[in-house]
Amino acid sequence: AQSVTQPDIHITVSEGASLELRCNYSYGATPYLFWYVQSPGQGLQLLLKYFSGDTLVQGIKGFEAEFKRSQSSFNLRKPSVHWSDAAEYFCAVGFGSSNTGKLIFGQGTTLQVKP
Amino acid sequence: GAVVSQHPSWVICKSGTSVKIECRSLDFQATTMFWYRQFPKQSLMLMATSNEGSKATYEQGVEKDKFLINHASLTLSTLTVTSAHPEDSSFYICSADFEGETQYFGPGTRLTVL
């Protein structure tokens, strides 16, 4: 069955430190990949997406993600975390016949930033 | 661009009443919108896919008679929770399909049923 796994439920990093959030998916073909961020009580904001082409994609707020087909992964990175990055991060995978359609979300990773 | 709004942002209602939540794509047309439900500290659960001019497609286990969805125009989809009960209290989020590529999400609606 198709699935998305974010192995880390909660991550704490110091402000200014680097960050990597993991995402793995299970699917027979290359899906469409997304990272969203959710602040408390808010909807989801799109950070970046991958459909095809260059496997390293740049997003907003200084985030980037790399698609690795061999590992079925799409990990999110940021070289230097800011206190405002504290939020819930969701990896999502699209399996529809078009580029969107239904999304399957990972369980989410809560990022806490220490001063 | 690609802004999605929801109204109301929060609502409190009595058990047995119905509540309507609106989802609007403000600067683009969306033939497809999606409705999700999110419990505290959990991920999003897709409830249904809303298609303009046709019936919504509900996910398994979602009661279509309880969660009525109408997508009457290319910029508006509504979710009506009928005969709401306390177990329906949740955070409801909609999204809209932008140019067949990406879902953009609304800010969510907090429903509390007393």
Side-chain angles (χ1 to χ4, degrees):
Chain A
Q2 303 148 351
S3 65
V4 181
T5 302
Q6 292 179 244
D8 305 305
I9 296 174
H10 192 110
I11 283 183
T12 300
V13 300
S14 298
E15 189 169 17
S18 64
L19 170 70
E20 182 170 34
L21 302 182
R22 296 182 290 166
C23 174
N24 294 94
Y25 65 89
S26 174
Y27 186 54
T30 300
Y32 305 108
L33 300 160
F34 306 83
W35 273 99
Y36 289 89
V37 60
Q38 183 181 33
S39 297
Q42 300 295 314
L44 276 66
Q45 182 182 22
L46 178 68
L47 285 176
L48 45 76
K49 59 188 177 184
Y50 173 79
F51 293 157
S52 64
D54 191 347
T55 56
L56 183 63
V57 293
Q58 302 297 320
I60 62 171
K61 302 185 179 185
F63 286 93
E64 66 177 26
E66 184 173 14
F67 168 59
K68 293 186 177 180
R69 184 189 307 274
S70 62
Q71 299 177 17
S72 297
S73 69
F74 188 57
N75 294 348
L76 181 72
R77 300 194 294 250
K78 185 169 185 178
S80 178
V81 170
H82 188 262
W83 63 266
S84 60
D85 293 324
E88 187 81 14
Y89 291 80
F90 292 98
C91 177
V93 177
F95 297 105
S97 57
S98 63
N99 283 356
T100 183
K102 294 183 184 180
L103 291 180
I104 296 178
F105 284 86
Q107 301 92 320
T109 298
T110 301
L111 173 64
Q112 183 178 1
V113 180
K114 294 190 300 184
Chain B
V3 179
V4 178
S5 70
Q6 274 185 250
H7 179 79
S9 55
W10 58 270
V11 57
I12 301 173
C13 68
K14 294 182 179 180
S15 184
T17 61
S18 295
V19 174
K20 179 184 286 188
I21 303 170
E22 294 185 347
C23 178
R24 293 181 185 273
S25 54
L26 297 185
D27 51 1
F28 66 101
Q29 294 182 330
T31 56
T32 304
M33 291 183 175
F34 302 87
W35 287 95
Y36 295 84
R37 185 172 180 177
Q38 185 179 34
F39 292 101
K41 304 295 185 182
Q42 294 189 26
S43 188
L44 280 72
M45 181 189 76
L46 179 64
M47 298 175 64
T49 302
S50 170
N51 297 293
E52 188 268 337
S54 64
K55 292 183 178 180
T57 303
Y58 291 82
E59 295 300 299
Q60 190 172 10
V62 177
E63 300 176 60
K64 60 179 67 176
D65 293 332
K66 180 160 191 65
F67 298 100
L68 300 179
I69 291 172
N70 183 276
H71 194 155
S73 78
L74 289 172
T75 59
L76 174 64
S77 175
T78 60
L79 168 69
T80 300
V81 183
T82 63
S83 186
H85 289 94
E87 57 266 30
D88 299 323
S89 298
S90 192
F91 192 55
Y92 293 88
I93 307 176
C94 73
S95 70
D97 172 22
F98 178 70
E99 296 185 345
E101 287 190 347
T102 305
Q103 288 187 34
Y104 287 91
F105 287 79
T109 297
R110 175 75 58 192
L111 170 63
T112 301
V113 184
L114 302 176

